[in-house]
Amino acid sequence: MKSHPARNRRRLALAAATTAVVVALSFGATGAAFAQDTSHASGDRVLRVGYQKAGLLAVLKAQGTLETKLKPLGYSVKWFEFPAGPQLLEALNANSIDFGYTGAPPPVFAQAGGVGFVYVGAEPGSKLSEALIVKADSPLHTLADLKGKRVALQKGSSANYLLLELLRKAGLGYNDIRPVYLPPADARAAFEKGDVDAWAIWDPYYAAAQQALKARTLADYTALPPAGLTYNFYEATRDFAQQHPEVVSEVLVQLRASGLWVNQHPAETAALIAPKIGLDAALVEKWVRRVPYGATAITNDVAQAQQHVADAFYGARLIPQKIAVKDNVWQNSSAAARLAAQ
């Protein structure tokens, strides 16, 4: 059957907009605000930022420094929380937010689906902040034991790539397991009830499962070669990055400054953001200490590492077409120079 790219993009946009509203209605007050505010207010210049519980954007929100830095540029900031990267990028596609942060896989799926975004910055990955976990008394003790088992995960998330690479290490294919695609909250419920055998997840949900459920780590990135470690990414809509490069640049500079502070002050960071995201401070400090922060521009090395992620998903037939990551990289020498100077 002949493909119709324009029709497919329209369908994707409609699906994204619908999902964004569903997500908003599912996640309380923050979601309600998101559902009501899907465009810039008339006459105002507002940067709409999508964030997750983990990540520097949550820290920047708690610090309040971004509002101060963007005020001279004539911008205010509105924040919208998402449970995972795929939902955040769906909102980006629906033009409900301008800027966000995800792991490596969500933008791969988004690019394959025709979403109009660009990579504007990157964060180094962590070997310890996501994992494949099982219950403490689980009979699963090796990756090979996963064959035929039910594994909960958010499709298209960073944990999806970790699972893919762990299966490859064990000599298994994606078809050798039974993936159960669930957002984090539903995945935790399924994990607790024993409806799944394992769960591929990231912080802070990972740390929470370790703390509250005494979950056992079956494997994390330490089981893989160093070259397999992915980056995390900041994304913006293509139009916003092209029309307001000074705003994107300022956000990245503030993220780098905040990240360098967090690296030196994990306990203070936990005390700052724990009450704002509704998590225990000790739990927050645990995952903060597992992550090295330091926002950078998208270098050739970063783009090549992300291309490896994209190729892995294409090879597993989880995305419909091969993509070129470099086609979605924001090129701005001024922003790159500002980041490098810090």
Side-chain angles (χ1 to χ4, degrees):
M1 181 179 294
K2 185 177 180 180
S3 175
H4 296 279
R7 185 183 303 167
N8 291 341
R9 284 194 294 271
R10 288 194 296 272
R11 287 174 177 168
L12 178 67
L14 177 61
T18 302
T19 302
V21 173
V22 171
V23 170
L25 294 175
S26 301
F27 288 90
T30 300
F34 166 74
Q36 295 165 4
D37 184 20
T38 57
S39 62
H40 295 291
S42 177
D44 293 338
R45 294 201 293 178
V46 181
L47 175 67
R48 300 164 301 171
V49 180
Y51 73 103
Q52 301 179 55
K53 288 185 184 298
L56 275 177
L57 285 173
V59 178
L60 212 57
K61 179 179 184 293
Q63 290 174 328
T65 53
L66 189 58
E67 286 82 352
T68 301
K69 294 296 183 179
L70 291 185
K71 188 173 182 179
L73 297 178
Y75 273 81
S76 60
V77 184
K78 289 194 175 181
W79 301 87
F80 304 104
E81 184 181 331
F82 293 86
Q87 292 92 328
L88 187 152
L89 282 172
E90 286 164 357
L92 201 76
N93 181 57
N95 195 32
S96 297
I97 58 173
D98 307 300
F99 188 97
Y101 167 84
T102 72
V108 166
F109 280 74
Q111 187 175 351
V115 175
F117 79 96
V118 285
Y119 296 93
V120 297
E123 291 279 357
S126 167
K127 292 184 177 182
L128 303 173
S129 63
E130 56 189 311
L132 183 64
I133 60 176
V134 295
K135 287 188 172 182
D137 59 353
S138 169
L140 306 184
H141 291 279
T142 70
L143 293 173
D145 294 336
L146 290 171
K147 189 169 184 177
K149 298 300 188 292
R150 299 158 299 174
V151 181
L153 69 152
Q154 168 78 61
K155 186 175 184 179
S157 68
S158 57
N160 198 164
Y161 178 72
L162 173 62
L163 175 61
L164 194 63
E165 292 298 286
L166 290 175
L167 291 172
R168 189 201 309 265
K169 177 182 174 64
L172 299 175
Y174 207 69
N175 292 333
D176 288 321
I177 64 163
R178 296 163 59 192
V180 180
Y181 295 124
L182 296 169
D186 293 338
R188 172 165 170 158
F191 182 78
E192 284 191 77
K193 290 188 292 185
D195 292 340
V196 296
D197 303 293
W199 181 18
I201 191 59
W202 61 91
D203 277 331
Y205 308 103
Y206 171 34
Q210 288 180 302
Q211 182 188 71
L213 308 179
K214 308 305 179 188
R216 172 163 53 85
T217 299
L218 190 64
D220 56 24
Y221 268 105
T222 60
L224 299 173
L229 190 62
T230 65
Y231 290 86
N232 298 311
F233 291 97
Y234 298 108
E235 303 99 354
T237 64
R238 188 180 293 275
D239 287 346
F240 190 89
Q242 290 175 343
Q243 296 169 15
H244 308 285
E246 75 288 355
V247 177
V248 175
S249 178
E250 188 61 44
V251 175
L252 292 174
V253 167
Q254 294 310 309
L255 283 164
R256 181 163 179 81
S258 180
L260 297 178
W261 181 84
V262 168
N263 289 340
Q264 299 298 320
H265 303 87
E268 293 92 329
T269 299
L272 174 68
I273 67 173
K276 297 184 182 299
I277 61 176
L279 293 173
D280 176 71
L283 184 154
V284 174
E285 184 176 349
K286 182 174 185 175
W287 62 255
V288 167
R289 288 184 179 275
R290 293 202 277 219
V291 182
Y293 293 105
T296 66
I298 308 296
T299 64
N300 288 335
D301 287 346
V302 172
Q304 288 173 7
Q306 182 68 346
Q307 187 64 53
H308 178 78
V309 175
D311 292 345
F313 278 111
Y314 177 68
R317 299 188 179 186
L318 292 174
I319 58 174
Q321 59 189 358
K322 189 174 178 65
I323 62 171
V325 168
K326 61 181 179 59
D327 292 345
N328 280 49
V329 172
W330 184 53
Q331 303 291 343
N332 189 287
S333 57
S334 175
R338 289 190 67 190
L339 284 174
Q342 284 192 293

